[in-house]
Amino acid sequence: MTASRILLVDDEIALINVVNHWLENAGYETTTCYSADEAADKILNIEYDVLFSDVIMPGNLNGFILAELAIKEQPKIKILLASGYTDGLENNTKFDFEILSKPYRKQYLLDKIKKLFEKS
């Protein structure tokens, strides 16, 4: 059995490195990207089980647009978003993505990821 593949996207390098460490230690296979633009290229070329992305990032794409692209290209992908600015973000998408408020704790994130896999 192969490990579940998670694409991590955040422009905060220190944060993504910590989250990457948490998820790898929990047994997931991870790929990190520091922008939604970089992640879009990965989504077009590599299959993932989960996209975990920040919402607000510099560049041409934000987390919502990236999530929509991911679903278009990989219909079975599960989406989890995060943001330090969650006020009103829930209404900015036509999809039902959960948005974690930053900062979040390790166990909280691991529980959310686990629940994504239980939904399938």
Side-chain angles (χ1 to χ4, degrees):
M1 184 172 121
T2 60
S4 298
R5 301 183 74 178
I6 301 176
L7 179 60
L8 304 173
V9 188
D10 201 308
D11 60 311
E12 294 180 50
I13 295 171
L15 174 62
I16 201 169
N17 289 339
V18 168
V19 171
N20 185 54
H21 180 75
W22 292 347
L23 293 172
E24 284 182 340
N25 283 345
Y28 298 106
E29 182 182 322
T30 60
T31 300
T32 57
C33 293
Y34 303 107
S35 73
D37 297 321
E38 178 187 2
D41 184 57
K42 299 282 187 193
I43 287 169
L44 294 174
N45 295 295
I46 302 168
E47 190 171 323
Y48 295 95
D49 299 298
V50 171
L51 167 66
F52 178 48
S53 177
D54 189 16
V55 173
I56 309 296
M57 292 175 280
N60 296 319
L61 305 175
N62 63 38
F64 291 124
I65 296 169
L66 180 64
E68 289 179 17
L69 172 69
I71 288 172
K72 179 182 173 206
E73 295 297 320
Q74 301 182 30
K76 293 182 181 180
I77 197 167
K78 294 162 181 33
I79 307 292
L80 182 62
L81 300 178
S83 181
Y85 312 98
T86 56
D87 289 344
L89 285 179
E90 303 81 19
N91 299 322
N92 285 338
T93 181
K94 60 187 172 194
F95 298 102
D96 187 25
F97 305 137
E98 184 166 359
I99 303 172
L100 301 185
S101 294
K102 288 181 179 180
Y104 44 81
R105 296 192 180 273
K106 174 184 175 181
Q107 194 57 53
Y108 185 72
L109 174 62
L110 293 176
D111 289 346
K112 291 293 182 183
I113 296 285
K114 183 179 176 185
K115 285 181 184 177
L116 285 176
F117 286 107
E118 290 172 353
K119 284 184 179 180
S120 52

